[in-house]
Amino acid sequence: DSGVTQTPKHLITATGQRVTLRCSPRSGDLSVYWYQQSLDQGLQFLIQYYNGEERAKGNILERFSAQQFPDLHSELNLSSLELGDSALYFCASSVDRAETYNEQFFGPGTRLTVL
Amino acid sequence: AQSVTQPDIHITVSEGASLELRCNYSYGATPYLFWYVQSPGQGLQLLLKYFSGDTLVQGIKGFEAEFKRSQSSFNLRKPSVHWSDAAEYFCAVGSTSGTYKYIFGTGTRLKVLA
């Protein structure tokens, strides 16, 4: 158990819909990272938040957005869903207090299926 | 831009045999390198990491990896594989372009024969 929790575990929805994925980082971790894992794209970095503020963007679509709340949990919002958005979405957290790499701890993921 | 290549998509070994999973990276300076394992239905777990110093790095579960700058490689090894090692293995390099995010390879799926 990494200490990172993600809900829901599975999500099935239809094209055009909007969903919200939730992540609670490990206690004390300030950074939250979102990754998308799909069969054709592999594991791709989407976005990072640090202590409530967006720090970096990766291959995140404009239809997707995220935020980190004062209690440091984060939500990833996916809208106007398409079949190709079906994937496993991971959240990871890290301390990131120093200017160096810190281990990222991954949650169990949310499997999104768009029908 | 940084990149990571794992040339083997699938590898099958017999239980008790040795294992080597290949990872090549593209990076201008000394890289931050990681190996993660993903068991079926699970998240990713860090096996080991290399930041600097000794080029042979020991990790959890009996794994080790060797950083070879001349070959731009960071191969993962285990002398004797157990059936429970069947999983997908990801090599990652730490990006320095703006934030400390990882760039992952495409993964190697390991199958262990009894």
Side-chain angles (χ1 to χ4, degrees), chain A residues 9 33 35 37 42-43 45 48 55-58 88 90 96 98-109, chain B residues 27 32 34 36 38 41-46 49 51 88 90 93-102 104-106:
Chain A
K9 193 163 185 171
Y33 301 77
Y35 292 87
Q37 185 179 34
L43 199 58
F45 166 72
Q48 179 207 1
R55 176 167 274 190
K57 270 187 175 180
L88 196 53
F90 285 109
D96 284 349
E99 289 298 307
T100 184
Y101 277 93
N102 296 273
E103 178 181 349
Q104 293 185 19
F105 294 84
F106 283 76
Chain B
Y27 195 81
Y32 297 89
F34 307 83
Y36 277 82
Q38 184 180 21
Q42 303 291 317
L44 279 76
Q45 181 184 21
L46 180 70
K49 62 190 176 192
F51 286 7
E88 189 151 23
F90 292 92
V93 64
S95 167
T96 57
S97 57
T99 187
Y100 299 105
K101 66 178 186 285
Y102 292 174
F104 283 91
T106 49

Side-chain angles (χ1 to χ4, degrees), chain B residues 27-93:
Chain B
Y27 195 81
T30 299
Y32 297 89
L33 294 162
F34 307 83
W35 273 101
Y36 277 82
V37 60
Q38 184 180 21
S39 299
Q42 303 291 317
L44 279 76
Q45 181 184 21
L46 180 70
L47 286 175
L48 46 78
K49 62 190 176 192
Y50 173 79
F51 286 7
S52 65
D54 193 344
T55 56
L56 185 62
V57 180
Q58 301 297 321
I60 62 171
K61 304 186 181 190
F63 286 92
E64 66 178 26
E66 186 170 13
F67 169 61
K68 292 186 177 180
R69 184 189 301 277
S70 61
Q71 298 176 20
S72 297
S73 69
F74 188 56
N75 294 347
L76 182 71
R77 301 194 294 245
K78 186 168 185 179
S80 177
V81 169
H82 188 262
W83 64 268
S84 61
D85 294 324
E88 189 151 23
Y89 292 80
F90 292 92
C91 181
V93 64

